[in-house]
Amino acid sequence: MTEDEPSPPDESPADSDDTNTPRTLSISSFYDALEAVGRPVITASELAREADWSHAEADGALDNLVGSGELQRIDVETDPVVWFPTDWGELADRERVIPFPRRREIVVDKPTQFTRAQLSQFAHLVDVSGAEAYRYEIRKEDIWQAPYESFDRLLRTIRQVLPERQPELEEWIKDQWNRARQFRLRTHEDGYTVLEAVSAELMGNVARQELDESQLRAPISDTESWVAEGSEASIKRRLYEAGYPVQDNRELETGDPLDISLDLDLRGYQRDWVSRFVDSGSGVLVGPPGSGKTVAAMGIMEAVGGETLILVPTRELASQWRDELLARTDLTAEQIGQYHGGAKEIRPITIATYRTAGMDRHRSLFDSRRWGLIVYDEVHHVPSDVYRRTGELQSRHRLGLSATPIREDEREQDIYTLVGPPIGTDWDELFDAGYVQEPKVEIRYVPWDEETYQDEYATAESHEKRQLAAANPLKTDEIRSILGEHGNAKALIFADYIDQGDALAEALSIPFISGEMRHARREKLFSQFRQGERDTLIVSRVGDEGIDLPDADLAILSSGLGGSRRQGSQRAGRTMRPAGKSRVYVLATRGTTEEDFAQRQLQHLRSKGIRVQEVDSERVNLE
């Protein structure tokens, strides 16, 4: 029996059913039992439960395999003994990939960067045990959104990762791949939109059951329906929720023509992004910080050649886009307008905030303009209730940009439904090519200053506990030590709480930039940092997104926003530039929720192949 032909749940994995003779267990049946319990080691109690044996019978069968050399056993604190295959023990310092096809999970011990990067293409990182064991889940939406042009290319990636063929798992993946290709939107020769299904059964039992007359006007044939104008977004959302992603093959509007020329040469992978976008008409550029997504977006603007609406979350980003367009293209200042609370200009290139563009009183202006392209910067904002209406602009080419298209509310699937499929490059390829610096990331666990804080923490409420853990005075000493270790490195220290930032600024004699600081003072400090007149700044949450934060060699996250994966990646991304060395330290107070928060903050980076080291601070007392 093999992993491909597991024992049925109601059968014992033993080779003999005679309860009067000693139980025997084959190594293949042992692997079946491992899959059933869902972890790479097993106890005698777990085997007994799975096989419906006594504990003594299970213990004896496992010991027999130890005697034959096929298993090893080890005593651990949480259970008297666990068993695992001998070859795992012999290969303790090498990567081990253990698939659990029935559960659609993959556990990888000591994964290489290549394996993590490949898994990120079709699986979701669930958690990391310690620093070495990564557990991935393959969800249906991961297959629906896998960035491949054909199932064969996806299958090739899967087989590069898994140690042996998994027919049952591969069949399920193929079913999900095909499921995402049962419906498509296309443009009829008379100009209106048609929803097409691969069969009359799907059109009748799914589409016409799930959608109402405000979305489908009338049937055209058994497999085709006339789509009500402007209902494309709601149709895609509804069928996605029903388990059927819709392929969008419409002829999108090109808008009023606008000639744009880019004043620089694109890198090879950026040219590939542009080509893939032009072929599909919509998509989300997903790449690490520093990979040049904004420049690639300008290349797409040049290729589309139509008037463009750029949506951003803040006014600061609107101003940055204007400056970048003027610096990197032949556009003039008269061709670029900003539309937000501080300005109301509609130009061939208009940069607007999501909030303003979604307001009813402004929406008609955006709907009436013949845009050829809509650019959604920081596209992870689109699923939020405030910004979601901007996704209704479905008739144009739609381009999303984000290093971290993830959301803590798990609504990232709306990004690909409303904007388009992911278009990206494996992070490790960019690391290897030297385009982006792979950061050296470390979680450093800091002990309590017991005399001052331990008693106070124990009696505090939940929000107070988070603040107390963030403000642990030993973190100040740890930051001072890290800065000393890295000499003259340009460093950004992130602090989420104003009181903590003020305390760090006073203790370390370093300026603290927060939303309370006047804009002119903030820009002066950033300018000094860029020009090398200052080598260290402390920055609040205001630096996570929406301001032109300078790049650094060193990032120290002294506190974080409840384990936000996007925040962790954004802050680490401030160091991920081609030149210099990239180092990231995340400080977490031992015995608090910060331990879990630190792990979660770095989960997205781990899923992209970046190794995270965990160490304990050696500090026990304030100096």
Side-chain angles (χ1 to χ4, degrees):
M1 183 176 295
T2 67
E3 179 72 6
D4 299 334
E5 299 173 333
S7 300
D10 58 345
E11 290 185 11
S12 164
D15 296 329
S16 171
D17 291 325
D18 185 356
T19 57
N20 295 320
T21 60
R23 297 289 189 178
T24 59
L25 183 71
S26 69
I27 188 64
S28 61
S29 293
F30 176 80
Y31 276 97
D32 287 340
L34 284 183
E35 182 180 329
V37 300
R39 63 191 187 117
V41 297
I42 197 170
T43 67
S45 298
E46 289 169 332
L47 177 62
R49 183 170 59 251
E50 291 300 323
D52 196 22
W53 292 350
S54 69
H55 186 283
E57 289 171 329
D59 191 80
L62 290 164
D63 271 338
N64 286 337
L65 282 180
V66 172
S68 68
E70 293 182 285
L71 293 189
Q72 290 187 23
R73 51 181 287 165
I74 188 172
D75 294 340
V76 294
E77 292 182 3
T78 55
D79 199 277
V81 181
V82 294
W83 279 263
F84 55 94
T86 293
D87 58 352
W88 294 1
E90 293 172 350
L91 303 175
D93 294 327
R94 295 177 58 185
E95 173 185 84
R96 296 189 295 275
V97 179
I98 309 111
F100 297 94
R102 295 180 201 164
R103 302 165 66 94
R104 295 193 286 277
E105 290 185 355
I106 301 171
V107 176
V108 190
D109 189 34
K110 294 183 174 64
T112 64
Q113 183 187 83
F114 172 80
T115 295
R116 282 175 284 170
Q118 294 294 85
L119 282 167
S120 71
Q121 303 299 302
F122 65 89
H124 172 70
L125 180 63
V126 179
D127 60 41
V128 179
S129 300
E132 302 294 349
Y134 289 58
R135 182 166 66 91
Y136 292 84
E137 177 184 358
I138 305 176
R139 307 169 301 179
K140 58 185 180 181
E141 55 264 34
D142 298 319
I143 304 305
W144 295 348
Q145 298 159 6
Y148 296 92
E149 296 175 358
S150 69
F151 176 72
D152 287 343
R153 293 188 63 184
L154 168 60
L155 189 59
R156 190 178 309 127
T157 296
I158 294 169
R159 289 177 174 175
Q160 285 176 335
V161 172
L162 300 184
E164 59 184 27
R165 299 285 176 87
Q166 303 292 333
E168 181 183 353
L169 179 61
E170 290 181 3
E171 186 62 31
W172 179 84
I173 290 172
K174 185 176 182 179
D175 287 344
Q176 294 305 319
W177 175 271
N178 291 333
R179 191 179 184 91
R181 287 151 182 81
Q182 302 300 298
F183 290 97
R184 74 180 182 116
L185 291 171
R186 65 174 178 83
T187 302
H188 192 272
E189 60 184 10
D190 291 333
Y192 58 84
T193 300
V194 174
L195 177 67
E196 183 179 292
V198 298
S199 69
E201 181 181 9
L202 279 169
M203 179 57 72
N205 295 338
V206 178
R208 290 174 184 157
Q209 296 297 319
E210 296 289 342
L211 305 172
D212 59 35
E213 60 184 12
S214 68
Q215 297 161 317
L216 297 183
R217 290 298 189 206
I220 300 173
S221 69
D222 288 344
T223 60
E224 299 168 307
S225 291
W226 174 20
V227 170
E229 184 177 359
S231 64
E232 292 88 355
S234 63
I235 287 174
K236 289 197 285 187
R237 279 198 300 261
R238 187 68 197 94
L239 289 180
Y240 189 101
E241 291 166 357
Y244 292 93
V246 177
Q247 301 288 299
D248 194 342
N249 301 137
R250 289 173 296 150
E251 297 173 8
L252 300 174
E253 296 178 17
T254 56
D256 289 329
L258 178 66
D259 290 332
I260 305 173
S261 293
L262 199 57
D263 292 339
L264 53 80
D265 293 328
L266 296 177
R267 298 167 179 169
Y269 66 86
Q270 291 171 325
R271 290 196 297 272
D272 178 61
W273 289 351
V274 173
S275 175
R276 289 164 62 185
F277 179 88
V278 170
D279 287 344
S280 63
S282 63
V284 178
L285 298 189
V286 181
S291 57
K293 293 180 291 297
T294 301
V295 171
M298 294 179 194
I300 289 171
M301 292 169 63
E302 180 183 49
V304 171
E307 296 195 355
T308 300
L309 173 63
I310 302 170
L311 298 172
V312 297
T314 66
R315 294 186 196 181
E316 286 86 356
L317 273 178
S319 296
Q320 288 172 43
W321 261 97
R322 181 180 183 277
D323 294 342
E324 285 289 298
L325 287 167
L326 290 173
R328 298 179 183 275
T329 72
D330 62 351
L331 291 167
T332 65
E334 291 71 28
Q335 292 175 298
I336 304 172
Q338 297 186 59
Y339 200 101
H340 47 65
K344 298 289 190 298
E345 305 164 337
I346 298 288
R347 304 277 175 80
I349 302 292
T350 298
I351 311 163
T353 58
Y354 285 106
R355 185 179 297 275
T356 302
M359 292 180 179
D360 289 335
R361 64 178 181 272
H362 303 297
R363 185 182 171 86
S364 60
L365 289 171
F366 297 108
D367 286 344
S368 62
R369 189 87 181 192
R370 295 193 66 244
W371 308 111
L373 173 67
I374 313 293
V375 178
Y376 298 85
D377 197 8
E378 305 292 354
V379 71
H380 47 264
H381 287 287
V382 168
S384 67
D385 294 335
V386 175
Y387 302 145
R388 191 182 182 100
R389 291 192 63 184
T390 61
E392 304 294 333
L393 298 167
Q394 288 285 302
S395 62
R396 285 81 166 178
H397 294 79
R398 301 176 307 283
L399 171 66
L401 307 177
S402 182
T404 51
I406 50 177
R407 294 178 58 88
E408 302 312 316
D409 60 8
E410 304 296 337
R411 291 169 66 182
E412 55 259 34
Q413 65 267 18
D414 285 0
I415 298 170
Y416 304 121
T417 302
L418 294 172
V419 179
I423 299 171
T425 302
D426 288 349
W427 288 31
D428 61 329
E429 291 182 14
L430 301 185
F431 294 151
D432 291 342
Y435 289 125
V436 180
Q437 183 68 229
E438 180 183 359
K440 182 178 180 181
V441 183
E442 180 179 296
I443 299 176
R444 191 168 289 190
Y445 297 109
V446 182
W448 276 112
D449 167 27
E450 295 184 10
E451 184 177 326
T452 308
Y453 271 80
Q454 189 73 295
D455 293 338
E456 191 174 352
Y457 181 83
T459 59
E461 299 295 328
S462 58
H463 181 65
E464 273 187 293
K465 284 181 182 290
R466 289 195 294 272
Q467 288 184 303
L468 289 169
N472 180 357
L474 280 178
K475 286 187 178 181
T476 304
D477 255 18
E478 199 66 48
I479 292 170
R480 187 181 288 114
S481 174
I482 292 171
L483 293 175
E485 291 172 22
H486 297 291
N488 296 323
K490 293 179 66 177
L492 291 172
I493 302 167
F494 293 91
D496 268 48
Y497 297 99
I498 298 298
D499 290 346
Q500 181 197 14
D502 288 337
L504 287 173
E506 182 176 356
L508 301 172
S509 299
I510 298 171
F512 173 46
I513 298 174
S514 71
E516 298 177 356
M517 178 177 284
R518 293 178 59 186
H519 182 79
R521 171 63 174 161
R522 184 172 73 191
E523 286 305 308
K524 181 178 180 180
L525 289 171
F526 283 154
S527 176
Q528 292 173 343
F529 188 87
R530 290 189 191 92
Q531 296 171 16
E533 298 171 14
R534 287 186 180 275
D535 57 15
T536 310
L537 292 174
I538 303 169
V539 186
S540 74
R541 198 178 303 169
V542 72
D544 291 345
E545 186 177 276
I547 63 172
D548 188 14
L549 198 62
D551 299 332
D553 309 308
L554 172 66
I556 302 174
L557 283 61
S558 64
S559 58
L561 182 61
S564 167
R565 293 167 292 168
R566 187 169 68 246
Q567 185 190 62
S569 299
Q570 287 170 330
R571 291 178 171 182
R574 296 301 177 181
T575 69
M576 293 167 62
R577 296 304 187 267
K581 295 182 178 180
S582 175
R583 293 183 174 87
V584 179
Y585 292 87
V586 179
L587 305 185
T589 299
R590 271 292 187 198
T592 73
T593 54
E594 282 197 326
E595 292 187 34
D596 294 333
F597 289 167
Q599 291 278 354
R600 183 168 177 80
Q601 269 195 316
L602 300 177
Q603 191 177 61
H604 183 68
L605 293 178
R606 276 175 153 150
S607 74
K608 294 301 182 182
I610 296 173
R611 190 172 296 279
V612 178
Q613 184 180 10
E614 298 179 50
V615 301
D616 283 304
S617 167
E618 297 179 357
R619 302 181 182 281
V620 293
N621 294 303
L622 284 171
E623 296 176 358

